[in-house]
Amino acid sequence: MRKRSLLILTTVVTTGALTLSACGSRDDSKGTDSGNKTTVVIGVDAPLTGSLSALGQGIKNSVDLAVKTANKNNEVPGIEFKVESYDDQAVPASGQANATKLVGNKDVLGVVGPLNSGVSQSMQGVFNTANLTQVSPANTNPSLTQGDKWGQGEKKRTFKTYFRTATTDVVQGKFAAQYLYNDAKKKKVYVVDDKQTYGAGLAAIFSDEFKRLGGTIAGTDHVTVKETDFSSTADKVKSSGADSVYFGGQYPEGGLLSDQVKKAGAKIPTMGGDGIYDPAFIKASGVANDGDLATSVGYPVEKLPTAKKFIDDYKAGGYKDPYAAYGGYSYDAAWAVIQAVKSVVAANDGKVPADARAKVTEAMSKVSFDGVTGKVAFDEFGDTTNKQLTVYSVKGSDWADVKSATFKD
């Protein structure tokens, strides 16, 4: 994938250029002053309740930590960042309604989220019309950045306001297939998906690569989100003679599928993408599922020297919920918005300009910094340039990383 040249904003901004006037005024009628500082809001949209709330709360808390850090360090002199969070419950219609609310708040200059690619599809147009930057820490469907015809080689960026710090399923699906075929030595896989944008797309990319490598697709099936009885699918897996299962979907269904496949008598591993990489996947199974596999974006945060401060600060912050799979990417997404705001304010004599949203979107394409998860920058489609991935395996009651690599196109 072609990468555009990047300008490191943080090295060209001087403190003096960012100083606001004593009254803390903006050069338009937008925003509110908090003392001598102008308020800039970073929105958050994620599933804060429901079966995926463990991931959503980690996203919200990590953005909150980024904002508190920026304010504490006076990252943008004269600017006080605040967070406004909305619960989409992993439902596209809720996400779209939340997007409309965020657009309606004139102080919002960037939004982090959502978790689900299908939810994001309902939000992108709303944000794009309002020139409001959106950065997802978790969306992986390629069409969000490269258009619906990306699979035929026709890549087109549809929404200039959309960015993401997570790599795409083009990378993740191929990486999973290569690991299952080359490393795990599995040659006959049964593929199941949940019929959702993320799950079906990931399963299709995995299948194409697995077949290209010489593997056999023993069969395919679909499950429905929020259902719990997958015994018919489990029976099909058992009778197919497959030596593994690949599941495109999220952990509530994935954990139950793994459980029921094993109870049907197929003692084979289930593999999935980052949607199943959560402790809740393991807890959902009533039988031991050691050896089940998942890929996730990036390297294990706990093993990254760049993430040590984030981990320490998160713990010190006293958040009730863990940062989970996307915490580091959420912090980096929020920090990217903060750096874009920093650049825009500096270029406007220390004030937030009247066309701040459009200016922030323009500045986002030039953002580049060393973040929690590594180098944070975006290519010409708004995709992250960081293509690191990790395979995890279930061992007892935890996930353990077994292989990390930087994916090469």
Side-chain angles (χ1 to χ4, degrees):
M1 187 178 290
R2 293 180 293 117
K3 297 182 177 65
R4 65 186 298 167
S5 59
L6 301 167
L7 175 65
I8 301 178
L9 299 174
T10 54
T11 62
V12 299
V13 177
T14 63
T15 303
L18 284 168
T19 302
L20 287 172
S21 60
C23 64
S25 63
R26 298 175 66 161
D27 69 343
D28 66 348
S29 59
K30 299 178 182 179
T32 56
D33 292 335
S34 177
N36 289 327
K37 292 193 173 184
T38 299
T39 297
V40 169
V41 175
I42 296 179
V44 174
D45 178 86
L48 303 179
T49 59
S51 61
L52 298 178
S53 61
L55 298 175
Q57 290 292 340
I59 290 171
K60 182 189 76 171
N61 293 342
S62 299
V63 173
D64 180 73
L65 179 59
V67 164
K68 286 179 177 176
T69 301
N71 290 336
K72 178 182 176 181
N73 296 343
N74 198 28
E75 184 69 21
V76 185
I79 299 297
E80 180 79 13
F81 289 99
K82 292 186 178 180
V83 177
E84 184 172 317
S85 301
Y86 287 93
D87 179 13
D88 62 33
Q89 297 181 308
V91 176
S94 297
Q96 187 175 66
N98 293 344
T100 300
K101 292 173 185 175
L102 287 162
V103 165
N105 182 345
K106 61 182 180 293
D107 295 343
V108 178
L109 296 188
V111 178
V112 176
L115 170 70
N116 306 86
S117 292
V119 174
S120 201
Q121 285 181 322
S122 74
M123 303 173 80
Q124 285 181 304
V126 178
F127 289 136
N128 195 68
T129 300
N131 281 319
L132 181 57
T133 292
Q134 172 192 4
V135 195
S136 174
N139 294 165
T140 53
N141 188 278
S143 64
L144 295 173
T145 47
Q146 299 176 20
D148 292 333
K149 295 184 179 180
W150 66 267
Q152 290 115 46
E154 297 180 36
K155 297 180 181 180
K156 179 182 179 181
R157 186 173 187 181
T158 308
F159 302 105
K160 66 181 182 299
T161 52
Y162 181 85
F163 302 82
R164 54 178 150 199
T165 52
T167 195
T168 73
D169 289 334
V170 174
V171 177
Q172 185 174 201
K174 289 182 179 180
F175 183 65
Q178 290 169 14
Y179 180 86
L180 195 64
Y181 186 86
N182 294 324
D183 296 78
K185 307 299 182 184
K186 303 299 182 183
K187 309 301 179 185
K188 189 177 181 182
V189 63
Y190 198 99
V191 179
V192 183
D193 69 69
D194 64 359
K195 298 180 284 189
Q196 302 298 300
T197 301
Y198 162 74
L202 181 59
I205 294 166
F206 167 87
S207 297
D208 288 345
E209 180 68 4
F210 195 79
K211 289 187 290 185
R212 187 192 71 79
L213 293 168
T216 299
I217 305 299
T220 62
D221 203 1
H222 311 282
V223 299
T224 301
V225 172
K226 296 185 179 180
E227 287 193 358
T228 58
D229 183 3
F230 306 131
S231 56
S232 63
T233 298
D235 289 338
K236 293 175 187 176
V237 172
K238 175 67 167 60
S239 62
S240 73
D243 59 14
S244 53
V245 174
Y246 187 81
F247 176 63
Q250 306 284 352
Y251 61 76
E253 293 74 33
L256 292 173
L257 177 65
S258 171
D259 176 75
Q260 291 171 34
V261 164
K262 291 173 177 60
K263 286 179 177 176
K267 306 301 183 182
I268 58 177
T270 293
M271 186 179 198
D274 55 313
I276 73 166
Y277 174 57
D278 191 274
F281 170 88
I282 302 171
K283 295 175 183 176
S285 181
V287 299
N289 51 5
D290 285 45
D292 280 358
L293 300 160
T295 53
S296 191
V297 296
Y299 290 169
V301 171
E302 294 78 12
K303 295 188 176 182
L304 288 173
T306 53
K308 185 179 185 306
K309 188 175 187 306
F310 164 74
I311 293 171
D312 290 345
D313 289 348
Y314 194 95
K315 183 177 180 180
Y319 296 106
K320 182 178 71 172
D321 300 286
Y323 50 79
Y326 304 105
Y329 298 92
S330 303
Y331 186 101
D332 285 346
W335 202 254
V337 173
I338 290 165
Q339 292 305 306
V341 171
K342 183 176 182 176
S343 172
V344 168
V345 169
N348 193 54
D349 297 324
K351 295 179 288 186
V352 178
D355 58 346
R357 287 180 173 176
K359 287 288 199 305
V360 168
T361 294
E362 182 181 353
M364 281 291 294
S365 65
K366 303 179 182 70
V367 162
S368 179
F369 60 92
D370 293 321
V372 171
T373 59
K375 194 72 174 180
V376 178
F378 306 101
D379 67 14
E380 67 269 32
F381 298 103
D383 285 325
T384 179
T385 58
N386 184 341
K387 296 182 180 181
Q388 298 170 338
L389 297 108
T390 298
V391 176
Y392 296 86
S393 178
V394 175
K395 293 185 179 180
S397 60
D398 296 302
W399 289 100
D401 57 288
V402 293
K403 182 177 182 178
S404 296
T406 299
F407 191 86
K408 308 284 187 186
D409 285 331

